[in-house]
Amino acid sequence: MATASYLPSEDQFLCSICLKVFTDPVSTSCGHNFCKNCIDAHWNSDDQYLCPMCKKVFNTRPELHVNTFISEMVVQFRQSAKTKASSSDSSEQQVPKPGEVPCDVCTGTKLKALKSCLVCLASYCETHLEPHLTASRLQRHQLIDPVQNLEGRMCTKHDKPLELFCTTDQTGVCMLCTVLDHKAHNVRPLKDEYDEKKAQLEAEIQRMIQERRLKIQGLKLSVDLSDKNADKETAEGVQVFNSLKESFEKHLSELLKTIEEKQTKTQKQAEAFIKELEQEISELMKRSAELEQLSLSEDHLHLLQSVQSLNTNHPPPTKDWTEVSIRPSYEGTVVRAVAQLEEALREKMKKVFEAELKRVQQYAVDVTLDPDTAHAQVIVSDDGKQVRPSKVDRYLPDNPERFSFNPCVIAKQNFSSGKFYYEVQVKRKTEWDFGVAKESINKKSLIKLSPEEGFWTVCLRDGNEYKAPAGPSVLLSLKSRPQRVGVFVDYDEGVVSFHDIDAAALIYTFTGCSFTEKLFPYFSPGLSYGNRNSAPLIISPVKEN
């Protein structure tokens, strides 16, 4: 009985790193197999020792030994595969697949080329390659792996192989080119240029790999920092809200205590009145009994004398109870308690806003105005820190960056990432706009302030009307008129906030903004209206409150 031969699948002997049949296969303690060089190279390039298959992490680098059983299986597989391939080659013609190079000599059905000759400029199958391997004259020809378009490897001018490389013109040249067209140029063998370029590319790839590894480390550090900041922010938030909760509970307790005390006072007052009334009733009932006793006598004179004596020695109660009443005074108790709570909350919120203001002030940047963008109706100071409305239109040279319709100006500085903060003094102003604007705003058309048009600003109109043009505009109710306003931008988080510096209060915040362009600080001092709004907007130095 014949024994059936079994040839394992190639997939069973592939290294999962190089995807080729094992070479010196080794096994990890987790049971996975790799080429020894592959796993060594993998661990040399990584910060930790883990299995590429199951991701198991080893605390120390495992000591690996060649798996002799798998090695023998691989040898048997290679021999079986080679025998099978030889048998197949002898029984079947090797017709080139799409993308493979056909033999240039074959007539009829062209076979797959095994080599290309740079001298003959032809590709040969196994049969037609034989002369190049046996004839001494042809053995001097240069054979390479089969390639298409061999004509492209010939000098079109001298019809010679491109064996050299001109580093001056960065092109392949033949031997005649070096003594004619490229005589004074720096020429070197193709292989030398190839080796250098390969080394450069490998170095560049390694540099890029290192950059990305450093970037990964940076991102991991950012995540760790973010976790710490989140924990800190959570702790601060819990503390603030617990404080607010305690304040609520304290004022509620005081309110209930006040009401209870008033109720107790009212109850005691009522009990005192009732006791006094009951005593008077008792006296009057006693008097009534005495009168009843006297009324039994028919001696009228004695009756009158007795009544007179009774009134003298025991006068009847004379207190007028008509106006006496119990009026519990609860009116306004809750309102006063809420007012006290509001004041307490205002103090706590002020501390929170002061802490937030101090936090954003650390991102202060130096901002100077760009006079080349200033409209003809505004005047920028020489130091670039002030802008005021002009009473007349000035003649200014037009340029693509200058605003043509609105009295405004932007800063020289721009920002496309991170956080930044600056402050603006607005004293004696009755009209202004400022904030940030994206780079692509149209300076040559009438401006409509809104995030959709690329503006994130707050505005003052008519001396006391504050609003945030958020599309639609949001009217702002401020406790006091700001004298200095801080502008904070977190580009990456999409936040633009405005702060009243002196009151340590938040004026308005744009959130959920999607910034994709450079942002420029934007300023408009408004029109002068005679002298009513002639004061400048001033970019003031940042000083921590």
Side-chain angles (χ1 to χ4, degrees):
M1 182 175 179
T3 302
S5 62
Y6 168 69
L7 180 62
S9 168
E10 182 178 0
D11 293 341
Q12 296 176 265
F13 300 102
L14 294 184
C15 171
S16 61
I17 297 178
C18 66
L19 302 180
K20 297 179 181 179
V21 175
F22 288 122
T23 301
D24 296 333
V26 294
S27 301
T28 60
S29 60
C30 54
H32 296 109
N33 303 305
F34 309 95
C35 298
K36 187 175 187 307
N37 290 338
C38 291
I39 191 64
D40 283 340
H42 177 75
W43 284 344
N44 289 338
S45 64
D46 205 344
D47 297 332
Q48 56 184 347
Y49 308 120
L50 78 164
C51 174
M53 291 291 289
C54 65
K55 307 303 180 185
K56 177 181 178 180
V57 178
F58 302 101
N59 294 328
T60 59
R61 183 164 181 158
E63 184 177 355
L64 300 174
H65 301 283
V66 174
N67 189 319
T68 56
F69 174 74
I70 295 181
S71 295
E72 292 174 359
M73 292 292 291
V74 169
V75 171
Q76 293 179 12
F77 170 77
R78 290 182 188 276
Q79 291 176 347
S80 299
K82 185 176 181 181
T83 302
K84 184 177 179 180
S86 300
S87 174
S88 175
D89 290 344
S90 61
S91 60
E92 297 180 6
Q93 293 182 334
Q94 294 184 355
V95 179
K97 300 176 182 178
E100 293 182 336
V101 180
C103 176
D104 291 326
V105 182
C106 289
T107 58
T109 301
K110 290 185 175 292
L111 302 182
K112 174 184 175 181
L114 296 183
K115 293 290 182 179
S116 295
C117 178
L118 294 179
V119 178
C120 303
L121 294 182
S123 299
Y124 303 103
C125 66
E126 184 177 5
T127 301
H128 295 117
L129 181 64
E130 185 68 21
H132 278 76
L133 301 178
T134 56
S136 58
R137 179 177 59 84
L138 296 177
Q139 285 178 344
R140 292 192 295 270
H141 289 192
Q142 185 177 357
L143 298 176
I144 61 173
D145 290 335
V147 294
Q148 301 277 9
N149 189 25
L150 284 168
E151 291 79 5
R153 296 176 175 269
M154 297 294 291
C155 176
T156 56
K157 190 171 184 179
H158 305 114
D159 198 26
K160 297 290 183 182
L162 299 175
E163 300 175 304
L164 303 170
F165 187 82
C166 175
T167 58
T168 305
D169 293 337
Q170 291 294 299
T171 184
V173 295
C174 69
M175 293 298 294
L176 285 177
C177 289
T178 61
V179 297
L180 297 175
D181 303 327
H182 298 260
K183 183 176 182 180
H185 293 181
N186 185 17
V187 178
R188 62 191 309 194
L190 279 174
K191 187 177 185 307
D192 292 350
E193 182 67 18
Y194 165 78
D195 291 340
E196 182 178 320
K197 282 290 191 293
K198 180 183 176 183
Q200 291 176 353
L201 288 174
E202 288 177 347
E204 178 65 14
I205 290 172
Q206 292 301 319
R207 183 190 65 79
M208 295 173 67
I209 291 173
Q210 186 63 21
E211 282 182 353
R212 280 148 182 79
R213 284 179 176 162
L214 291 174
K215 186 65 176 179
I216 290 173
Q217 292 179 359
L219 292 173
K220 289 181 178 179
L221 289 174
S222 297
V223 171
D224 292 341
L225 181 61
S226 177
D227 289 341
K228 293 178 181 177
N229 289 337
D231 292 341
K232 180 182 177 183
E233 199 74 12
T234 299
E236 291 178 355
V238 169
Q239 181 180 359
V240 169
F241 279 90
N242 280 340
S243 177
L244 294 176
K245 179 183 175 182
E246 290 173 0
S247 185
F248 272 100
E249 292 174 347
K250 176 184 175 183
H251 283 79
L252 175 59
S253 176
E254 291 176 353
L255 171 63
L256 297 178
K257 182 180 179 181
T258 300
I259 294 174
E260 183 180 358
E261 288 175 349
K262 288 188 176 184
Q263 174 63 13
T264 301
K265 180 180 179 181
T266 299
Q267 186 175 355
K268 288 182 177 180
Q269 187 179 26
E271 289 174 351
F273 286 156
I274 290 171
K275 183 176 181 180
E276 187 177 352
L277 285 168
E278 287 177 343
Q279 289 177 351
E280 290 187 2
I281 290 172
S282 177
E283 289 292 328
L284 289 171
M285 289 181 69
K286 181 178 179 182
R287 192 176 191 83
S288 176
E290 291 176 352
L291 287 173
E292 183 67 25
Q293 187 66 31
L294 289 173
S295 65
L296 297 177
S297 174
E298 293 183 356
D299 187 349
H300 297 105
L301 178 60
H302 175 71
L303 174 63
L304 291 174
Q305 290 174 342
S306 298
V307 169
Q308 185 176 1
S309 175
L310 184 64
N311 287 336
T312 302
N313 298 327
H314 301 286
T318 57
K319 184 173 182 177
D320 185 4
W321 290 91
T322 306
E323 301 298 328
V324 175
S325 63
I326 300 297
R327 297 185 180 90
S329 178
Y330 299 117
E331 294 82 356
T333 304
V334 174
V335 173
R336 287 190 293 273
V338 171
Q340 293 173 356
L341 174 61
E342 182 182 14
E343 182 63 27
L345 293 179
R346 187 179 297 114
E347 289 298 318
K348 292 182 181 297
M349 291 174 65
K350 184 176 181 180
K351 291 180 179 179
V352 173
F353 288 133
E354 285 175 347
E356 174 65 9
L357 181 59
K358 186 175 181 180
R359 182 186 72 83
V360 300
Q361 283 180 328
Q362 66 180 315
Y363 299 104
V365 296
D366 184 24
V367 173
T368 52
L369 303 173
D370 185 357
D372 290 338
T373 67
H375 185 267
Q377 288 185 322
V378 301
I379 301 174
V380 176
S381 62
D382 292 339
D383 63 357
K385 297 297 183 181
Q386 301 185 24
V387 57
R388 69 174 67 245
S390 175
K391 296 181 180 180
V392 296
D393 283 351
R394 300 176 300 137
Y395 173 76
L396 296 173
D398 191 19
N399 64 66
E401 299 303 316
R402 190 178 304 283
F403 288 94
S404 297
F405 288 89
N406 294 69
C408 54
V409 62
I410 61 174
K412 295 179 179 179
Q413 294 77 18
N414 63 79
F415 307 88
S416 56
S417 64
K419 306 176 181 68
F420 64 94
Y421 172 87
Y422 64 92
E423 293 181 357
V424 184
Q425 180 178 303
V426 295
K427 291 181 180 179
R428 304 188 307 279
K429 296 289 293 177
T430 59
E431 180 178 304
W432 46 255
D433 317 324
F434 57 83
V436 291
K438 66 181 183 181
E439 184 178 26
S440 64
I441 57 173
N442 188 351
K443 301 184 182 70
K444 300 303 180 181
S445 65
L446 192 64
I447 287 175
K448 179 183 178 182
L449 295 178
S450 71
E452 289 75 15
E453 299 296 326
F455 295 89
W456 293 265
T457 62
V458 291
C459 309
L460 170 65
R461 295 290 183 269
D462 300 325
N464 58 7
E465 181 183 303
Y466 296 90
K467 61 182 180 178
S473 292
V474 177
L475 290 177
L476 306 175
S477 178
L478 306 184
K479 296 292 183 182
S480 60
R481 293 190 56 174
Q483 301 298 304
R484 286 186 302 153
V485 178
V487 183
F488 171 69
V489 179
D490 188 333
Y491 189 101
D492 303 318
E493 291 295 325
V495 172
V496 181
S497 59
F498 299 84
H499 303 258
D500 184 336
I501 306 301
D502 301 305
L506 182 65
I507 297 175
Y508 187 77
T509 299
F510 292 90
T511 59
C513 309
S514 180
F515 300 130
T516 57
E517 305 178 19
K518 295 177 181 178
L519 294 180
F520 290 79
Y522 164 88
F523 306 84
S524 174
L527 300 175
S528 62
Y529 304 110
N531 290 323
R532 189 160 62 93
N533 188 44
S534 59
L537 289 177
I538 303 174
I539 302 171
S540 55
V542 175
K543 298 178 181 179
E544 288 189 4
N545 278 7

